[in-house]
Amino acid sequence: MKTIYFDKDVPRVLLTKLLQPLWPGVIWSRISPVRWVEHKAPELPGPRWLRVKNNQCGICATDLALLKAEADPRISGAAVPGIQRIYLGHEVVGEVVEVGAGVTRAKVGDRVVIEARPFGSPNCHTQELDPPCRPCHDGQSRFCENGSIDVGMNGVGAGWGDSYTAHESEIWPVPHDIDDDHATLIEPLAVAVHAVLRRQPKSGDKVLVVGGGIIGLLTLQAIKALEPASEVTILVRYPQQAEAAHVLGAHHVVFEEDSYRSMAEITGAKLYNAPINRGMLLGGFDLVFECVGKAKTLLDSLRWTRSRGAVILVGTSFTYLDFDPSPIYYQEVDLIGSNTFGTEFYQGRTIHTFDLVIELIREGKLRESGLITHRFPFKSLRQAITTANDKRSGAIKVILTYDA
């Protein structure tokens, strides 16, 4: 099997970060913590495991961040051991080609997507620990308190490769009426839907999405699906993002230039400026979904939120951030984290985010809508990564495809 993985090797990470400004190609070298390997397909670790052959996989910003060694050893997650190897590629749809004797969730020939693999650590379900920890018991396995306990049952491979092995608890069958393009978006759509459910907008709320990348655009779409009577603004950088936002129903599309003045006009807030200060709104948006994960955009998001409003931090960053938290206490703005997906409480029922996304796709409330802009065969991975990294290429979502 062919696969690509990131090793949590701090010296290699630091050396790659140091050399990259002078030698961009270092990310493809032996110095990098990322490895490109081909080896014999491993045996299934146990009876509840299966093997999947990949059809196609999206290129995600978190994968690119690992490839470029953007992770900072000072962030909180770096203190938790987890497992040392993270396989790249998680927005992947494939076909089950082998199942263990104890598998009940899927059969050979089923198309599936994977839930948990990109984040590296096992959980109580994949390790078959009994009793499970409290988060795993509650359906929130990404918070597993036993994620650093390795009993020897680990999957190999992910979406950046031809196949992978997984525990049956990690995979989700895809209905026949959902095509591969929509299936590839189930995972990032689940990230967006979970974020919106962390603080669901109400009718008439003024809502801002910061960031016009794929997660920002899918968050816009999720807001429109879950509360269509809210008024949604999105902040973008590139023309293709603005075009997609209009297609998806944004009420206002704002480019970065003069964004403070635009946000004040849209919300009716008062804008105040001061020397050596970015400015501040009094009034502003009821909810802001920050989908970039940078210090600058988090700082702006807090300053664009009305008193007692909320900023939902959706964007993922492996960097160490310095930002001004003063609106959190001066304006009592809630800063809410949103970590991927899990079990939701929606319309009086408990449902996994993937199941809810599949329902909404089948109802036509969530859709691909031209967000997949580029496709490359896996053999052209470097070209695909170059395209995904440079938004001036017109890229929104870049897809890797695999030969039959």
Side-chain angles (χ1 to χ4, degrees), residues 78-93:
V80 181
I83 62 173
Q84 295 302 305
R85 182 161 293 175
I86 301 175
Y87 291 92
L88 302 185
H90 50 278
E91 300 173 352
V92 58
V93 56

Side-chain angles (χ1 to χ4, degrees), residues 143-160:
F143 304 129
C144 179
E145 295 167 0
N146 295 319
S148 293
I149 298 175
D150 187 352
V151 301
M153 292 194 297
N154 293 311
V156 175
W160 286 19

Side-chain angles (χ1 to χ4, degrees), residues 123-125 129-147 343:
N123 58 60
C124 293
H125 302 307
L129 299 178
D130 189 22
C133 69
R134 182 173 178 176
C136 285
H137 176 271
D138 293 343
Q140 311 292 358
S141 59
R142 66 206 182 282
F143 304 129
C144 179
E145 295 167 0
N146 295 319
T343 298

Side-chain angles (χ1 to χ4, degrees), residues 118-290:
F119 308 103
S121 296
N123 58 60
C124 293
H125 302 307
T126 64
Q127 300 295 283
E128 299 181 10
L129 299 178
D130 189 22
C133 69
R134 182 173 178 176
C136 285
H137 176 271
D138 293 343
Q140 311 292 358
S141 59
R142 66 206 182 282
F143 304 129
C144 179
E145 295 167 0
N146 295 319
S148 293
I149 298 175
D150 187 352
V151 301
M153 292 194 297
N154 293 311
V156 175
W160 286 19
D162 53 18
S163 60
Y164 63 86
T165 58
H167 192 270
E168 67 169 337
S169 64
E170 297 180 281
I171 60 94
W172 241 255
V174 178
H176 295 296
D177 56 346
I178 293 181
D179 61 26
D180 278 357
D181 284 354
H182 282 87
T184 303
L185 292 179
I186 287 174
E187 193 273 352
L189 276 167
V191 171
V193 168
H194 175 72
V196 176
L197 292 177
R198 288 287 284 142
R199 182 64 69 89
Q200 188 171 348
K202 300 186 295 293
S203 176
D205 275 355
K206 292 183 181 295
V207 183
L208 173 64
V209 176
V210 175
I214 187 65
I215 293 298
L217 291 167
L218 294 179
T219 299
L220 162 63
Q221 190 171 175
I223 294 166
K224 298 292 291 182
L226 298 174
E227 183 43 78
S230 58
E231 181 185 313
V232 189
T233 299
I234 186 168
L235 180 71
V236 303
R237 293 187 68 181
Y238 299 100
Q240 73 270 21
Q241 297 173 346
E243 182 179 349
H246 285 300
V247 169
L248 294 173
H251 294 85
H252 310 282
V253 178
V254 177
F255 282 87
E256 285 185 314
E257 299 82 4
D258 200 27
S259 53
Y260 272 74
R261 187 168 301 281
S262 296
M263 300 310 178
E265 291 174 354
I266 289 168
T267 60
K270 296 181 175 65
L271 170 61
Y272 295 92
N273 292 303
I276 62 169
N277 195 303
R278 297 181 66 81
M280 178 69 187
L281 300 188
L282 292 184
F285 292 93
D286 299 288
L287 297 173
V288 177
F289 291 87
E290 201 285 331

Side-chain angles (χ1 to χ4, degrees), residues 50 95-97 99 103-112 176:
L50 45 78
E95 180 180 327
V96 177
V97 294
V99 297
V103 171
T104 60
R105 281 176 60 86
K107 63 184 183 300
V108 171
D110 284 351
R111 283 185 311 143
V112 297
H176 295 296

